[in-house]
Amino acid sequence: MTNKMIHINYSPQHDDLVNLFMKDNREKYIICNEQLRDLVVNIDMENKEETINKIIELILIILKNKNLKEYIWSNYRNLNDEEKDKVYLEAKYLLDKKEPFIINTIYNKLVEIIDTGESLNIDGFFRFRMRDFMVYISIISDIALEEYLIKRDKNQFINTLKYFIESQDSKIDLLIIHIMEDGNFKFYDQNRIEIKDNNTEKMISMIIKEDLNYEDFLISTLINLCPKKIEIIDDLRDEISEEIIENIKIIFENNVKVTFKQ
């Protein structure tokens, strides 16, 4: 049996997840003192893959729970801590989706280090061998920030719309919204009679003239009619109709019933 010692220079005393990882794996994979410093990975070359996978696990913990957080907290200073947390969760989700690619890249770099017998300095590993990933973190974080701001603005709009509708007198007891397969909408009252009034026709003309989408038309109709209850017939059944339905549910809560085309 051939063993190889790989020295890991890293001081994770303030990283709870890293500490937990070290304690769970120190006897089999990692040699270190009680302060979790002066780390050494004991690699059984006959089981090299298993140990490399553990090192990858450690690096991913540091990447997601330290480097990503540090970037967001250092660069988005105009956000408060709660907003930074939301951006971080969004960025972490995006990073998780790319994990197979990240793991493969880390694996190749680790094999190169182990085969050449070099020491593994975690900080140096990120600074030099993972330099592209540090740029990647900034890109993912910026995308996450944009997604967060879009969701925040949308939620503010929906909450404002909800408050407005709740403050108005209802003009119709039941509004039936039929989402057609082509993405258009039709509206019916409780007697299944299609609603076509002057205001609706004006809205349609405005949407065509201003090149707006039909979701804008739907929102305008809800504002105009302020129904007590809504029934949605969804023939489209895709991500767009699902999002529209969820938004309507946020506004009207338990007063929404959804049915689907058989």
Side-chain angles (χ1 to χ4, degrees), residues 81-163:
D81 285 346
E82 182 180 355
E83 291 174 319
K84 289 175 183 177
D85 276 329
K86 292 178 180 178
V87 173
Y88 166 69
L89 291 176
E90 186 74 34
K92 188 172 180 294
Y93 168 74
L94 295 173
L95 205 60
D96 287 341
K97 291 172 65 175
K98 298 294 184 181
E99 189 166 290
F101 165 71
I102 296 172
I103 288 174
N104 184 64
T105 304
I106 295 173
Y107 175 86
N108 291 333
K109 294 179 183 297
L110 284 176
V111 168
E112 180 182 343
I113 291 173
I114 291 170
D115 287 346
T116 57
E118 298 178 34
S119 294
L120 176 57
N121 182 297
I122 293 293
D123 290 335
F125 184 82
F126 278 104
R127 187 175 297 111
F128 300 108
R129 296 181 183 265
M130 296 282 288
R131 185 182 303 167
D132 292 342
F133 278 98
M134 304 315 293
V135 175
Y136 190 57
I137 279 180
S138 68
I139 294 172
I140 282 183
S141 297
D142 288 344
I143 294 172
L145 174 62
E146 184 177 354
E147 288 291 324
Y148 165 72
L149 294 176
I150 290 172
K151 288 179 181 179
R152 184 190 66 180
D153 292 344
K154 183 175 182 179
N155 288 337
Q156 289 175 346
F157 169 74
I158 289 175
N159 288 333
T160 301
L161 179 60
K162 180 180 178 181
Y163 174 79

Side-chain angles (χ1 to χ4, degrees), residues 8 17 27 129 138 174 186:
I8 300 182
L17 286 175
E27 293 183 2
R129 296 181 183 265
S138 68
L174 174 65
K186 286 190 176 182

Side-chain angles (χ1 to χ4, degrees), residues 12 21 30 34 53 61 70 99 136 148 172 193 199 211 217:
F21 173 88
I30 298 170
E34 290 299 321
N53 288 336
I61 289 173
E70 285 181 350
E99 189 166 290
Y136 190 57
Y148 165 72
I172 183 173
I193 298 174
N199 287 332
D211 194 26
F217 172 46

